[in-house]
Amino acid sequence: MLNAVLAMNESAISGHASPFIERFENEFANFCGTRYAVACSSGTAALHLAARALPIRPGDEVLVSALTNIATANAVIECGGIVVPVDSEPETWNLNPHLLDSLVSRSTTAIFPVHIYGHPADMPRIASYADSLGLSVIEDAAEAHGAEIQGKRVGSFGDAACFSFYANKVITTGEGGMIVTDSLEIAAKASSLRNLAFGTPRFLHYEVGYNYRMSNLSAAIGCGQMTRIDEIIQAKRDLARRYTERLTGTPGLQLPIEKDGYRNIYWMYSIVVNEKEYGESRDTLQSRLARAGIDTRTMFAPLNIQPALLLRGAVKPTPCPVAERLWREGMYLPSTPTLTDSELDYICSTIRNGR
Ligand SMILES: *Cc1c(COP(=O)(O)O)cnc(C)c1O
């Protein structure tokens, strides 16, 4: 916090120049192991800019992880594309790469995997499938800053990747987002589109752009947050370990995993409740926790059942039985790393409730 405040004082003195934006972009690109980073106003804006920069064109089909924040799908739809939801792996809840070949069509141009709740999607498989057909890949890494596969950071696998700095994300600028990429072309295009796509001469525009800029003030907060990001991720991983210690062995509860060679940063500690084995439905457990003063959230509703997308005819209603089950049975627990042991004991004993 002190760092952020100091940084903000400095930025206030610097007038209308934007030194912190460039610094935040450089630091974040370094963090991800990519060449370029383009800061913008939100994770939603980052996804839209990346989809435009790729580009996704009207009529393109995009294979999108079914279990995700609606913003992943909106990016495709704003470009006139069609969302083709891909069902989840039962263990990691990420896009199941084995389903790609059954869903791909002549109109498919890209794959948008999501690193859900902090566990990386199977990027080696997804990238090699995409390569074999010449498809582009945009990673939605909004929940997975610093997550890794074999020591390689998420954000560095796709043609581009998008991060969010919303208040509940791994690091925050209040509102904010970032595109990272190794492609100068994508970075330049995204950077132009985020600022109304000014042309030459200035005030002639050859493309329709947006005001998706990040403010220098937000970037200053981002620089402050970068000094703590490793510590925050470690605290998230510690919290997950402390939850797992307390909940392991509870009948009917599926806990988050970390696949071999993967680094999960556990953005949200999520569980799946099997009613038959647990003895209570997810909804009943959620209400019981609420009465005990414990706030939880359900997992995302999958893209194949989203009314707004179906009404527009902008989504193929592919079968997603796993993601639909996760929507009914999945929930996440309080995930602030500052939770004390006694708070965790209270949450977990309420969940175990004699089980
Ligand atoms: C939060 C989130 C977004 C959207 O980011 P905002 O900064 O809130 O616009 C997109 N995708 C996923 C997976 C997210 O969790």
Side-chain angles (χ1 to χ4, degrees):
M1 191 61 201
L2 185 62
N3 270 320
V5 172
L6 289 174
M8 279 165 68
N9 280 339
E10 233 180 283
S11 80
I13 309 166
S14 69
H16 72 272
S18 306
F20 286 104
I21 292 175
E22 212 178 298
R23 184 170 140 192
F24 187 29
E25 289 174 339
N26 287 336
E27 289 181 3
F28 203 76
N30 275 341
F31 177 80
C32 294
T34 59
R35 246 181 247 153
Y36 308 104
V38 178
C40 57
S41 52
S42 69
T44 304
L47 285 159
H48 189 193
L49 288 174
R52 279 286 312 273
L54 212 50
I56 301 299
R57 296 191 172 88
D60 285 359
E61 288 186 9
V62 180
L63 299 160
V64 185
S65 183
L67 187 77
T68 186
N69 182 300
I70 195 69
T72 326
N74 290 357
V76 174
I77 285 161
E78 291 301 330
C79 295
I82 310 284
V83 172
V84 181
V86 185
D87 202 8
S88 315
E89 297 177 327
E91 301 300 328
T92 67
W93 314 319
N94 280 313
L95 180 150
N96 185 340
H98 298 289
L99 299 173
L100 290 171
D101 206 41
S102 65
L103 298 171
V104 79
S105 83
R106 280 165 176 235
S107 306
T108 309
T109 61
I111 308 176
F112 287 15
V114 180
H115 307 300
I116 202 77
Y117 306 130
H119 192 295
D122 187 344
M123 292 313 298
R125 254 206 188 86
I126 294 167
S128 85
Y129 183 77
D131 276 353
S132 73
L133 295 182
L135 307 175
S136 309
V137 175
I138 294 179
E139 297 168 68
D140 182 341
E143 307 179 351
H145 318 48
E148 294 174 358
I149 305 173
Q150 309 289 4
K152 188 169 151 66
R153 291 258 157 102
V154 303
S156 64
F157 291 92
D159 294 279
C162 300
F163 289 84
S164 166
F165 307 120
Y166 177 61
N168 70 358
K169 297 293 160 79
V170 177
I171 60 167
T172 184
T173 56
E175 296 278 3
M178 191 82 81
I179 301 155
V180 297
T181 180
D182 281 335
S183 155
L184 176 59
E185 203 182 334
I186 290 177
K189 188 83 184 285
S191 167
S192 165
L193 290 170
R194 98 180 139 176
N195 187 29
L196 294 169
F198 283 97
T200 313
R202 196 172 171 84
F203 303 123
L204 274 184
H205 301 259
Y206 300 94
E207 285 194 274
V208 176
Y210 317 93
N211 172 3
Y212 283 167
R213 296 182 301 263
M214 176 179 276
S215 76
N216 194 40
L217 207 64
S218 296
I221 297 171
C223 292
Q225 291 268 287
M226 286 307 285
T227 65
R228 295 190 46 222
I229 190 165
D230 296 330
E231 182 191 322
I232 294 168
I233 290 167
Q234 192 50 49
K236 290 238 166 231
R237 287 176 55 78
D238 285 344
L239 179 74
R241 181 184 45 75
R242 292 157 68 214
Y243 261 126
T244 298
E245 274 168 15
R246 287 164 172 79
L247 292 175
T248 296
T250 314
L253 285 194
Q254 182 191 341
L255 307 179
I257 63 155
E258 185 174 61
K259 272 200 320 196
D260 254 6
Y262 283 60
R263 183 184 193 226
N264 187 348
I265 58 101
Y266 301 96
W267 172 58
M268 289 288 169
Y269 191 89
S270 310
I271 61 174
V272 183
V273 184
N274 179 316
E275 179 172 1
K276 235 160 119 192
E277 288 174 36
Y278 180 72
E280 224 174 53
S281 69
R282 188 276 315 270
D283 289 343
T284 309
L285 171 60
Q286 192 175 31
S287 324
R288 196 158 60 72
L289 291 172
R291 283 196 303 277
I294 301 162
D295 195 22
T296 60
R297 294 276 184 283
T298 68
M299 281 191 182
F300 294 120
L303 297 179
N304 63 313
I305 65 159
Q306 289 292 349
L309 307 189
L310 291 163
L311 277 169
R312 276 212 195 188
V315 61
K316 279 199 174 171
T318 54
C320 298
V322 176
E324 285 179 33
R325 180 173 59 75
L326 294 171
W327 158 234
R328 284 192 310 273
E329 299 185 347
M331 65 194 289
Y332 36 99
L333 304 178
S335 297
T336 315
T338 51
L339 285 170
T340 62
D341 279 343
S342 67
E343 285 166 333
L344 277 181
D345 288 342
Y346 174 66
I347 296 168
C348 296
S349 66
T350 311
I351 293 170
R352 294 188 73 122
N353 197 27
R355 284 170 181 86

